PDB file of all heavy atoms in Angstrom:
ATOM      1  N   LEU K 159     132.405  71.604  44.362  1.00 96.00           N
ATOM      2  CA  LEU K 159     133.889  71.842  44.384  1.00 96.00           C
ATOM      3  C   LEU K 159     134.303  72.223  45.854  1.00 96.00           C
ATOM      4  O   LEU K 159     133.687  73.089  46.406  1.00 96.00           O
ATOM      5  CB  LEU K 159     134.265  73.066  43.477  1.00 96.00           C
ATOM      6  CG  LEU K 159     135.722  73.443  43.421  1.00 96.00           C
ATOM      7  CD1 LEU K 159     136.575  72.281  42.841  1.00 96.00           C
ATOM      8  CD2 LEU K 159     135.947  74.733  42.599  1.00 96.00           C
ATOM      9  N   ALA K 160     135.153  71.437  46.422  1.00 93.00           N
ATOM     10  CA  ALA K 160     135.545  71.572  47.859  1.00 93.00           C
ATOM     11  C   ALA K 160     136.326  72.900  48.135  1.00 93.00           C
ATOM     12  O   ALA K 160     136.079  73.612  49.022  1.00 93.00           O
ATOM     13  CB  ALA K 160     136.142  70.338  48.425  1.00 93.00           C
ATOM     14  N   SER K 161     137.370  73.061  47.350  1.00 91.00           N
ATOM     15  CA  SER K 161     138.219  74.220  47.556  1.00 91.00           C
ATOM     16  C   SER K 161     138.776  74.708  46.229  1.00 91.00           C
ATOM     17  O   SER K 161     138.710  74.064  45.139  1.00 91.00           O
ATOM     18  CB  SER K 161     139.345  73.754  48.398  1.00 91.00           C
ATOM     19  OG  SER K 161     140.145  72.797  47.744  1.00 91.00           O
ATOM     20  N   PHE K 162     139.151  75.990  46.261  1.00 91.00           N
ATOM     21  CA  PHE K 162     139.748  76.578  45.063  1.00 91.00           C
ATOM     22  C   PHE K 162     140.761  77.661  45.505  1.00 91.00           C
ATOM     23  O   PHE K 162     140.806  78.096  46.680  1.00 91.00           O
ATOM     24  CB  PHE K 162     138.649  77.284  44.244  1.00 91.00           C
ATOM     25  CG  PHE K 162     138.043  78.486  44.918  1.00 91.00           C
ATOM     26  CD1 PHE K 162     138.433  79.765  44.678  1.00 91.00           C
ATOM     27  CD2 PHE K 162     137.020  78.357  45.914  1.00 91.00           C
ATOM     28  CE1 PHE K 162     137.906  80.828  45.273  1.00 91.00           C
ATOM     29  CE2 PHE K 162     136.493  79.410  46.593  1.00 91.00           C
ATOM     30  CZ  PHE K 162     136.874  80.669  46.225  1.00 91.00           C
ATOM     31  N   ALA K 163     141.547  78.156  44.547  1.00 85.00           N
ATOM     32  CA  ALA K 163     142.519  79.232  44.817  1.00 85.00           C
ATOM     33  C   ALA K 163     142.677  79.989  43.568  1.00 85.00           C
ATOM     34  O   ALA K 163     142.792  79.517  42.531  1.00 85.00           O
ATOM     35  CB  ALA K 163     143.776  78.670  45.203  1.00 85.00           C
ATOM     36  N   LEU K 164     142.553  81.388  43.672  1.00 84.00           N
ATOM     37  CA  LEU K 164     142.752  82.301  42.574  1.00 84.00           C
ATOM     38  C   LEU K 164     144.239  82.260  42.353  1.00 84.00           C
ATOM     39  O   LEU K 164     145.030  82.319  43.163  1.00 84.00           O
ATOM     40  CB  LEU K 164     142.243  83.572  42.969  1.00 84.00           C
ATOM     41  CG  LEU K 164     140.708  83.813  43.204  1.00 84.00           C
ATOM     42  CD1 LEU K 164     140.454  85.256  43.629  1.00 84.00           C
ATOM     43  CD2 LEU K 164     139.935  83.458  41.983  1.00 84.00           C
ATOM     44  N   ALA K 165     144.544  82.362  40.983  1.00 76.00           N
ATOM     45  CA  ALA K 165     145.939  82.330  40.632  1.00 76.00           C
ATOM     46  C   ALA K 165     146.666  83.617  41.039  1.00 76.00           C
ATOM     47  O   ALA K 165     147.692  83.592  41.742  1.00 76.00           O
ATOM     48  CB  ALA K 165     146.063  82.253  39.089  1.00 76.00           C
ATOM     49  N   SER K 166     146.013  84.781  40.823  1.00 91.00           N
ATOM     50  CA  SER K 166     146.625  86.074  41.261  1.00 91.00           C
ATOM     51  C   SER K 166     145.446  87.093  41.185  1.00 91.00           C
ATOM     52  O   SER K 166     144.674  87.141  40.366  1.00 91.00           O
ATOM     53  CB  SER K 166     147.731  86.454  40.324  1.00 91.00           C
ATOM     54  OG  SER K 166     148.156  87.809  40.419  1.00 91.00           O
ATOM     55  N   TYR K 167     145.541  88.137  42.226  1.00 94.00           N
ATOM     56  CA  TYR K 167     144.627  89.125  42.212  1.00 94.00           C
ATOM     57  C   TYR K 167     144.826  90.117  40.936  1.00 94.00           C
ATOM     58  O   TYR K 167     143.911  90.849  40.616  1.00 94.00           O
ATOM     59  CB  TYR K 167     144.755  89.937  43.433  1.00 94.00           C
ATOM     60  CG  TYR K 167     144.168  89.304  44.690  1.00 94.00           C
ATOM     61  CD1 TYR K 167     144.567  89.681  45.989  1.00 94.00           C
ATOM     62  CD2 TYR K 167     143.114  88.472  44.612  1.00 94.00           C
ATOM     63  CE1 TYR K 167     144.037  89.060  47.149  1.00 94.00           C
ATOM     64  CE2 TYR K 167     142.569  87.823  45.633  1.00 94.00           C
ATOM     65  CZ  TYR K 167     142.951  88.126  46.961  1.00 94.00           C
ATOM     66  OH  TYR K 167     142.342  87.557  48.028  1.00 94.00           O
ATOM     67  N   GLU K 168     146.032  90.028  40.438  1.00 95.00           N
ATOM     68  CA  GLU K 168     146.312  90.899  39.281  1.00 95.00           C
ATOM     69  C   GLU K 168     145.719  90.376  37.937  1.00 95.00           C
ATOM     70  O   GLU K 168     145.690  91.047  36.910  1.00 95.00           O
ATOM     71  CB  GLU K 168     147.862  90.988  39.099  1.00 95.00           C
ATOM     72  CG  GLU K 168     148.549  91.600  40.254  1.00 95.00           C
ATOM     73  CD  GLU K 168     148.069  92.880  40.816  1.00 95.00           C
ATOM     74  OE1 GLU K 168     147.655  93.690  39.968  1.00 95.00           O
ATOM     75  OE2 GLU K 168     148.028  93.050  41.974  1.00 95.00           O
ATOM     76  N   GLU K 169     145.192  89.194  37.974  1.00 95.00           N
ATOM     77  CA  GLU K 169     144.508  88.565  36.881  1.00 95.00           C
ATOM     78  C   GLU K 169     143.158  89.254  36.436  1.00 95.00           C
ATOM     79  O   GLU K 169     142.546  89.772  37.371  1.00 95.00           O
ATOM     80  CB  GLU K 169     144.281  87.079  37.068  1.00 95.00           C
ATOM     81  CG  GLU K 169     145.493  86.268  37.201  1.00 95.00           C
ATOM     82  CD  GLU K 169     146.167  85.828  35.924  1.00 95.00           C
ATOM     83  OE1 GLU K 169     145.782  86.350  34.920  1.00 95.00           O
ATOM     84  OE2 GLU K 169     147.100  85.056  35.905  1.00 95.00           O
ATOM     85  N   VAL K 170     142.812  89.216  35.174  1.00 96.00           N
ATOM     86  CA  VAL K 170     141.537  89.814  34.844  1.00 96.00           C
ATOM     87  C   VAL K 170     140.409  88.855  35.431  1.00 96.00           C
ATOM     88  O   VAL K 170     140.472  87.620  35.222  1.00 96.00           O
ATOM     89  CB  VAL K 170     141.491  89.791  33.304  1.00 96.00           C
ATOM     90  CG1 VAL K 170     140.092  90.210  32.841  1.00 96.00           C
ATOM     91  CG2 VAL K 170     142.477  90.806  32.718  1.00 96.00           C
ATOM     92  N   SER K 171     139.419  89.476  36.020  1.00 96.00           N
ATOM     93  CA  SER K 171     138.284  88.711  36.635  1.00 96.00           C
ATOM     94  C   SER K 171     137.107  88.733  35.690  1.00 96.00           C
ATOM     95  O   SER K 171     136.333  87.901  35.705  1.00 96.00           O
ATOM     96  CB  SER K 171     137.922  89.314  37.963  1.00 96.00           C
ATOM     97  OG  SER K 171     137.528  90.693  37.784  1.00 96.00           O
ATOM     98  N   SER K 172     137.008  89.857  34.933  1.00 97.00           N
ATOM     99  CA  SER K 172     135.802  90.040  34.075  1.00 97.00           C
ATOM    100  C   SER K 172     136.125  90.951  32.924  1.00 97.00           C
ATOM    101  O   SER K 172     136.920  91.912  33.029  1.00 97.00           O
ATOM    102  CB  SER K 172     134.681  90.553  34.888  1.00 97.00           C
ATOM    103  OG  SER K 172     133.474  90.614  34.118  1.00 97.00           O
ATOM    104  N   ILE K 173     135.501  90.669  31.780  1.00 97.00           N
ATOM    105  CA  ILE K 173     135.538  91.610  30.651  1.00 97.00           C
ATOM    106  C   ILE K 173     134.185  92.202  30.473  1.00 97.00           C
ATOM    107  O   ILE K 173     133.205  91.474  30.168  1.00 97.00           O
ATOM    108  CB  ILE K 173     135.977  90.916  29.321  1.00 97.00           C
ATOM    109  CG1 ILE K 173     137.379  90.293  29.556  1.00 97.00           C
ATOM    110  CG2 ILE K 173     135.982  91.820  28.182  1.00 97.00           C
ATOM    111  CD1 ILE K 173     137.840  89.409  28.393  1.00 97.00           C
ATOM    112  N   VAL K 174     134.008  93.432  30.633  1.00 96.00           N
ATOM    113  CA  VAL K 174     132.748  94.177  30.557  1.00 96.00           C
ATOM    114  C   VAL K 174     132.611  94.970  29.300  1.00 96.00           C
ATOM    115  O   VAL K 174     133.401  95.949  29.171  1.00 96.00           O
ATOM    116  CB  VAL K 174     132.465  95.049  31.803  1.00 96.00           C
ATOM    117  CG1 VAL K 174     131.116  95.746  31.834  1.00 96.00           C
ATOM    118  CG2 VAL K 174     132.670  94.177  33.166  1.00 96.00           C
ATOM    119  N   TYR K 175     131.652  94.607  28.428  1.00 94.00           N
ATOM    120  CA  TYR K 175     131.494  95.402  27.165  1.00 94.00           C
ATOM    121  C   TYR K 175     130.754  96.575  27.439  1.00 94.00           C
ATOM    122  O   TYR K 175     129.672  96.591  28.125  1.00 94.00           O
ATOM    123  CB  TYR K 175     130.851  94.464  26.091  1.00 94.00           C
ATOM    124  CG  TYR K 175     131.899  93.550  25.451  1.00 94.00           C
ATOM    125  CD1 TYR K 175     132.185  92.278  26.020  1.00 94.00           C
ATOM    126  CD2 TYR K 175     132.499  93.967  24.267  1.00 94.00           C
ATOM    127  CE1 TYR K 175     133.251  91.566  25.445  1.00 94.00           C
ATOM    128  CE2 TYR K 175     133.497  93.142  23.697  1.00 94.00           C
ATOM    129  CZ  TYR K 175     133.865  91.947  24.259  1.00 94.00           C
ATOM    130  OH  TYR K 175     134.880  91.205  23.600  1.00 94.00           O
ATOM    131  N   THR K 176     131.195  97.721  26.899  1.00 86.00           N
ATOM    132  CA  THR K 176     130.545  99.006  27.045  1.00 86.00           C
ATOM    133  C   THR K 176     129.154  98.945  26.309  1.00 86.00           C
ATOM    134  O   THR K 176     129.054  98.156  25.371  1.00 86.00           O
ATOM    135  CB  THR K 176     131.355 100.150  26.468  1.00 86.00           C
ATOM    136  OG1 THR K 176     131.634  99.846  25.128  1.00 86.00           O
ATOM    137  CG2 THR K 176     132.644 100.316  27.269  1.00 86.00           C
ATOM    138  N   SER K 177     128.231  99.788  26.678  1.00 68.00           N
ATOM    139  CA  SER K 177     126.875  99.761  26.105  1.00 68.00           C
ATOM    140  C   SER K 177     126.896 100.329  24.628  1.00 68.00           C
ATOM    141  O   SER K 177     125.882 100.127  23.971  1.00 68.00           O
ATOM    142  CB  SER K 177     125.939 100.447  26.996  1.00 68.00           C
ATOM    143  OG  SER K 177     126.270 101.818  27.205  1.00 68.00           O
ATOM    144  N   GLY K 178     127.942 100.956  24.298  1.00 60.00           N
ATOM    145  CA  GLY K 178     128.096 101.414  22.832  1.00 60.00           C
ATOM    146  C   GLY K 178     127.238 102.570  22.452  1.00 60.00           C
ATOM    147  O   GLY K 178     126.396 102.387  21.556  1.00 60.00           O
ATOM    148  N   THR K 179     127.398 103.691  23.204  1.00 54.00           N
ATOM    149  CA  THR K 179     126.572 104.900  22.707  1.00 54.00           C
ATOM    150  C   THR K 179     127.084 105.330  21.383  1.00 54.00           C
ATOM    151  O   THR K 179     126.308 105.894  20.592  1.00 54.00           O
ATOM    152  CB  THR K 179     126.817 106.080  23.745  1.00 54.00           C
ATOM    153  OG1 THR K 179     128.250 106.262  23.953  1.00 54.00           O
ATOM    154  CG2 THR K 179     126.121 105.783  25.086  1.00 54.00           C
ATOM    155  N   THR K 180     128.363 105.096  21.016  1.00 55.00           N
ATOM    156  CA  THR K 180     128.850 105.360  19.659  1.00 55.00           C
ATOM    157  C   THR K 180     129.722 104.147  19.310  1.00 55.00           C
ATOM    158  O   THR K 180     130.525 103.677  20.106  1.00 55.00           O
ATOM    159  CB  THR K 180     129.681 106.611  19.648  1.00 55.00           C
ATOM    160  OG1 THR K 180     130.792 106.532  20.551  1.00 55.00           O
ATOM    161  CG2 THR K 180     128.842 107.879  19.958  1.00 55.00           C
ATOM    162  N   GLY K 181     129.597 103.730  18.119  1.00 61.00           N
ATOM    163  CA  GLY K 181     130.495 102.704  17.596  1.00 61.00           C
ATOM    164  C   GLY K 181     130.299 101.311  18.212  1.00 61.00           C
ATOM    165  O   GLY K 181     129.296 101.001  18.877  1.00 61.00           O
ATOM    166  N   VAL K 182     131.296 100.439  17.996  1.00 74.00           N
ATOM    167  CA  VAL K 182     131.272  99.083  18.426  1.00 74.00           C
ATOM    168  C   VAL K 182     131.652  99.017  19.953  1.00 74.00           C
ATOM    169  O   VAL K 182     132.513  99.686  20.390  1.00 74.00           O
ATOM    170  CB  VAL K 182     132.314  98.289  17.689  1.00 74.00           C
ATOM    171  CG1 VAL K 182     132.357  96.815  18.128  1.00 74.00           C
ATOM    172  CG2 VAL K 182     131.992  98.294  16.117  1.00 74.00           C
ATOM    173  N   PRO K 183     130.915  98.215  20.707  1.00 83.00           N
ATOM    174  CA  PRO K 183     131.261  98.023  22.084  1.00 83.00           C
ATOM    175  C   PRO K 183     132.732  97.569  22.365  1.00 83.00           C
ATOM    176  O   PRO K 183     133.225  96.762  21.503  1.00 83.00           O
ATOM    177  CB  PRO K 183     130.249  96.992  22.598  1.00 83.00           C
ATOM    178  CG  PRO K 183     129.095  97.085  21.662  1.00 83.00           C
ATOM    179  CD  PRO K 183     129.724  97.390  20.380  1.00 83.00           C
ATOM    180  N   LYS K 184     133.331  98.042  23.400  1.00 92.00           N
ATOM    181  CA  LYS K 184     134.646  97.701  23.689  1.00 92.00           C
ATOM    182  C   LYS K 184     134.710  96.759  24.965  1.00 92.00           C
ATOM    183  O   LYS K 184     133.922  96.958  25.897  1.00 92.00           O
ATOM    184  CB  LYS K 184     135.562  98.849  23.874  1.00 92.00           C
ATOM    185  CG  LYS K 184     135.608  99.725  22.677  1.00 92.00           C
ATOM    186  CD  LYS K 184     136.573 101.065  22.919  1.00 92.00           C
ATOM    187  CE  LYS K 184     135.860 102.035  23.759  1.00 92.00           C
ATOM    188  NZ  LYS K 184     134.684 102.745  23.085  1.00 92.00           N
TER     189      LYS K 184
END
Side-chain angles (χ1 to χ4, degrees):
L159 181 67
S161 62
F162 69 96
L164 296 176
S166 166
Y167 283 158
E168 304 304 324
E169 296 277 10
V170 172
S171 63
S172 188
I173 298 171
V174 180
Y175 278 85
T176 58
S177 55
T179 51
T180 58
V182 177
K184 300 181 286 290

